[in-house]
Amino acid sequence: SIRIRLHRGGHLVGNDLPHPVYLDGEPLPPGQERTLHHGATLQPTRGTLLRFNIVAAPAAADGPVVAEPPAPARRL
Protein backbone atom coordinates (compact mmCIF):
# COMPACT_ATOMS: atom_id res chain seq x y z
CA SER A 1 0.00 0.00 0.00
CA ILE A 2 0.90 3.66 -0.19
CA ARG A 3 0.20 5.74 2.94
CA ILE A 4 -0.45 9.45 3.27
CA ARG A 5 -0.43 10.75 6.81
CA LEU A 6 -0.38 14.02 8.68
CA HIS A 7 2.87 14.77 10.48
CA ARG A 8 3.79 17.99 12.28
CA GLY A 9 1.32 20.05 10.28
CA GLY A 10 2.29 18.62 6.88
CA HIS A 11 1.75 15.47 4.84
CA LEU A 12 4.03 12.45 4.41
CA VAL A 13 3.71 9.75 1.79
CA GLY A 14 5.08 6.29 2.61
CA ASN A 15 5.76 3.35 0.35
CA ASP A 16 4.74 -0.04 1.76
CA LEU A 17 4.83 -1.74 -1.65
CA PRO A 18 7.57 -4.30 -2.44
CA HIS A 19 8.90 -2.11 -5.26
CA PRO A 20 9.87 1.56 -5.62
CA VAL A 21 7.24 4.11 -6.58
CA TYR A 22 8.03 7.53 -8.07
CA LEU A 23 7.33 10.80 -6.29
CA ASP A 24 7.88 13.78 -8.59
CA GLY A 25 9.97 11.57 -10.87
CA GLU A 26 12.31 10.38 -8.08
CA PRO A 27 12.24 6.80 -6.74
CA LEU A 28 10.72 6.28 -3.30
CA PRO A 29 12.08 2.90 -2.15
CA PRO A 30 9.99 0.45 -0.10
CA GLY A 31 9.76 1.38 3.57
CA GLN A 32 10.64 5.06 3.09
CA GLU A 33 8.61 8.26 3.54
CA ARG A 34 8.88 11.74 2.03
CA THR A 35 7.10 15.04 2.38
CA LEU A 36 4.10 15.37 0.06
CA HIS A 37 3.70 18.83 -1.46
CA HIS A 38 0.78 20.49 -3.23
CA GLY A 39 0.91 19.53 -6.91
CA ALA A 40 3.13 16.47 -6.32
CA THR A 41 2.88 13.55 -8.73
CA LEU A 42 3.01 9.96 -7.55
CA GLN A 43 3.48 7.03 -9.90
CA PRO A 44 2.82 3.72 -8.09
CA THR A 45 2.75 1.65 -11.32
CA ARG A 46 3.89 2.13 -14.89
CA GLY A 47 0.33 2.95 -16.04
CA THR A 48 -0.83 5.08 -13.06
CA LEU A 49 0.01 8.73 -12.37
CA LEU A 50 -1.63 10.58 -9.47
CA ARG A 51 -1.44 14.34 -8.88
CA PHE A 52 -2.07 15.63 -5.35
CA ASN A 53 -3.64 18.95 -4.49
CA ILE A 54 -3.78 20.04 -0.87
CA VAL A 55 -6.97 22.10 -0.59
CA ALA A 56 -6.80 22.94 3.11
CA ALA A 57 -3.88 23.02 5.51
CA PRO A 58 -4.24 20.58 8.41
CA ALA A 59 -4.34 21.84 11.96
CA ALA A 60 -0.84 21.60 13.43
CA ALA A 61 -1.92 19.59 16.45
CA ASP A 62 1.46 18.03 17.06
CA GLY A 63 3.77 21.02 16.56
CA PRO A 64 5.01 23.41 13.89
CA VAL A 65 5.22 22.51 10.21
CA VAL A 66 8.45 20.69 9.43
CA ALA A 67 8.99 19.86 5.78
CA GLU A 68 11.69 19.57 3.16
CA PRO A 69 11.59 22.01 0.24
CA PRO A 70 9.65 20.85 -2.86
CA ALA A 71 11.60 19.05 -5.56
CA PRO A 72 12.21 20.99 -8.78
CA ALA A 73 9.41 20.56 -11.34
CA ARG A 74 10.02 17.91 -14.00
CA ARG A 75 8.21 16.99 -17.16
CA LEU A 76 6.88 13.44 -17.11
Side-chain angles (χ1 to χ4, degrees):
S1 67
I2 296 172
R3 294 175 279 105
I4 298 174
R5 67 183 181 96
L6 295 176
H7 178 71
R8 300 189 63 119
H11 298 85
L12 289 177
V13 61
N15 180 10
D16 290 335
L17 295 172
H19 57 82
V21 299
Y22 291 85
L23 179 61
D24 290 328
E26 297 294 323
L28 178 60
Q32 291 193 10
E33 291 183 314
R34 290 216 188 106
T35 301
L36 183 63
H37 298 281
H38 175 76
T41 56
L42 182 68
Q43 188 172 9
T45 68
R46 176 179 258 175
T48 305
L49 185 63
L50 305 169
R51 183 176 179 113
F52 290 90
N53 292 314
I54 299 169
V55 295
D62 58 350
V65 173
V66 176
E68 62 191 49
R74 291 185 169 189
R75 272 190 94 127
L76 299 177

